Amino acid sequence: MSFSNLVKDMSFKDSPRNSDDSRSTISRPGLAKSYTSTQATSVSIAGDISSQLHAGYHHPLSRTWQAERQLTKAMLIYPLFITDNADEVTPIPSLPNQNRIGLNKIVPMLTPLVEHGLRSVILFGVPLAPGVKDPLGIAADEPQGPVIQAIQVIRRAFPQIFIVADVCLCEYTSHGHCGILNDDGSMNNAMSVERISDVALAYAKAGAHCVAPSDMNDGRIRAIKLKLIEEGISHRVNLMSYAAKFSGCLYGPFRDAAGSCPSFGDRKCYQLPPGGRGLARRAIRRDIDEGADIIMVKPASSYLDIISDAKEIAKDMPVAAYQVSGEYAMIHAGAKAGVFDLKTMAFESTEGILRAGAGIVVSYFTPDFLQWLDS
């Protein structure tokens, strides 16, 4: 039965057929129309008028207006794995469509992305030369190392690109941990902070617009900030803290790409436990107090509550989220298995990150988004 027939049927059933009122109503079309309209309203609205929401998102454009934050190209940071083999382009099997690249391949790879609107990259060094790794990560800030060289290449070729340099020792240490170790294998926090802050300063002096320590050693934000101030460059070098970086199993493809898997043990004693929401909130507050300019949460999709917390605590600061390699690989695997459409799921997962409070997203989907956002 159509809606109009339903209304007519209801009007017929509810009217007193044999009374003068019935004849009067039928003989006066305006009143009949008013009556049936009232009946239609009572059928379609079962409650307060504010319950009617569909019109607000019926049109594709009005749907976008419902989002507090909409993904833009300026929000995206693209991770790059830079090796010390100048001509290398090596696919990363566990990270679909991503490669380790050498210095000579940076400009050809970035050129089409910049033409499509790429605004920022984050650099990870991947030293492959034999014997380059040692217990102290000495190669991390070598002038001829991959990160410092890549900073200079990108600054020359693409001066408009905002360069973030990840700061950690795990890619450069023989043991694969994120700092300098004590004899018993535990983290020597004081020595690690001193080393990490030196590396951050070297990247900043080389031309990085932003340094992003991901080691999770206590006090490293303050140490880096003080060295930037002493060097006289704190006014132009942004400090992005991986304030809430959680341990877990979503980093596997990244470790394949960066060659940074620990040779023993794990990182649970310096990365946050997955259930540690209170610890994350404390770490965020600490890093704000120590001078961070941007707060990052990593991973993203499993920690939307932490992103929301970060935005609440750092309400006057940018909040970034890193959709890590495992998240990216899972979406690709699901799409390949036919569970969902890749593009739809990429947007859906990223929109959730933005809704939680992030305004910056580190994403391996960046090359795809640069094209999808144009379509």
Side-chain angles (χ1 to χ4, degrees):
M1 179 182 291
S2 69
F3 181 74
S4 60
N5 288 335
L6 173 64
V7 172
K8 289 178 182 177
D9 184 61
M10 290 185 63
S11 177
F12 177 74
K13 289 179 180 178
D14 289 345
S15 62
R17 300 178 189 178
N18 299 320
S19 69
D20 292 339
D21 289 342
S22 173
R23 286 190 298 274
S24 174
T25 300
I26 295 172
S27 64
R28 296 162 65 186
L31 288 178
K33 183 178 180 181
S34 175
Y35 179 73
T36 57
S37 176
T38 301
Q39 291 298 308
T41 301
S42 68
V43 170
S44 62
I45 301 178
D48 188 84
I49 195 72
S50 63
S51 66
Q52 301 303 292
L53 305 178
H54 289 173
Y57 53 96
H58 178 74
H59 190 277
L61 180 60
S62 65
R63 287 173 66 86
T64 68
W65 291 343
Q66 302 301 325
E68 293 183 11
R69 295 177 183 85
Q70 297 178 30
L71 182 64
T72 68
K73 296 178 181 182
M75 293 177 170
L76 297 166
I77 302 177
Y78 185 38
L80 298 180
F81 299 98
I82 311 297
T83 78
D84 52 7
N85 181 352
D87 295 311
E88 180 172 5
V89 178
T90 301
I92 304 162
S94 57
L95 205 54
N97 302 329
Q98 307 301 312
N99 300 289
R100 288 195 297 259
I101 62 172
L103 291 171
N104 293 342
K105 303 300 181 180
I106 292 175
V107 173
M109 192 273 286
L110 286 184
T111 296
L113 301 182
V114 172
E115 290 173 351
H116 278 92
L118 178 68
R119 301 290 299 278
S120 181
V121 296
I122 183 168
L123 306 179
F124 298 92
V126 187
L128 300 175
V132 71
K133 299 187 179 187
D134 60 52
L136 303 179
I138 295 298
D141 53 356
E142 285 288 336
Q144 299 305 312
V147 172
I148 289 179
Q149 289 292 303
I151 291 169
Q152 295 169 350
V153 167
I154 296 171
R155 286 293 296 254
R156 287 193 299 268
F158 308 105
Q160 72 273 39
I161 290 292
F162 186 87
I163 303 170
V164 183
D166 178 85
V167 185
C168 197
L169 299 183
C170 60
E171 303 102 317
Y172 301 93
T173 53
S174 51
H175 46 70
H177 282 279
C178 299
I180 297 173
L181 303 182
N182 293 311
D183 291 340
D184 63 0
S186 62
M187 186 69 70
N188 186 318
N189 194 86
M191 292 183 65
S192 298
V193 166
E194 183 66 22
R195 182 79 187 102
I196 287 289
S197 57
D198 283 345
V199 174
L201 182 61
Y203 293 167
K205 291 169 67 176
H209 300 98
C210 176
V211 290
S214 59
D215 56 294
M216 292 298 289
N217 283 289
D218 290 335
R220 87 270 197 218
I221 300 301
R222 182 176 187 273
I224 294 171
K225 196 72 168 187
L226 287 174
K227 289 187 178 181
L228 294 175
I229 292 170
E230 290 170 357
E231 190 65 28
I233 57 175
S234 62
H235 65 287
R236 61 176 174 83
V237 178
N238 196 300
L239 178 49
M240 178 161 62
S241 170
Y242 287 71
K245 180 180 178 180
F246 290 83
S247 63
C249 59
L250 289 172
Y251 302 126
F254 175 93
R255 292 171 184 171
D256 291 344
S260 61
C261 188
S263 61
F264 67 91
D266 53 44
R267 295 170 178 154
K268 293 180 180 179
C269 289
Y270 49 95
Q271 294 179 358
L272 300 179
R277 183 177 185 180
L279 272 174
R281 292 174 66 91
R282 289 167 58 193
I284 291 166
R285 290 192 187 97
R286 177 199 63 192
D287 289 359
I288 293 171
D289 291 342
E290 291 188 1
D293 298 301
I294 300 173
I295 294 297
M296 185 194 288
V297 177
K298 177 184 179 181
S301 300
S302 301
Y303 297 93
L304 298 180
D305 58 329
I306 308 302
I307 297 173
S308 180
D309 286 349
K311 192 57 185 174
E312 171 204 332
I313 296 167
K315 57 181 179 295
D316 298 322
M317 299 171 60
V319 171
Y322 197 144
Q323 189 180 56
V324 300
S325 59
E327 297 173 80
Y328 172 82
M330 284 194 298
I331 292 172
H332 265 274
K336 186 176 181 180
V339 177
F340 43 65
D341 175 71
L342 179 68
K343 177 181 176 181
T344 302
M345 191 61 205
F347 270 106
E348 190 171 315
S349 64
T350 305
E351 287 164 357
I353 294 166
L354 298 179
R355 188 184 66 246
I360 303 167
V361 183
V362 183
S363 174
Y364 298 97
F365 280 113
T366 295
D368 300 305
F369 281 137
L370 295 176
Q371 296 192 35
W372 291 336
L373 287 169
D374 283 337
S375 61

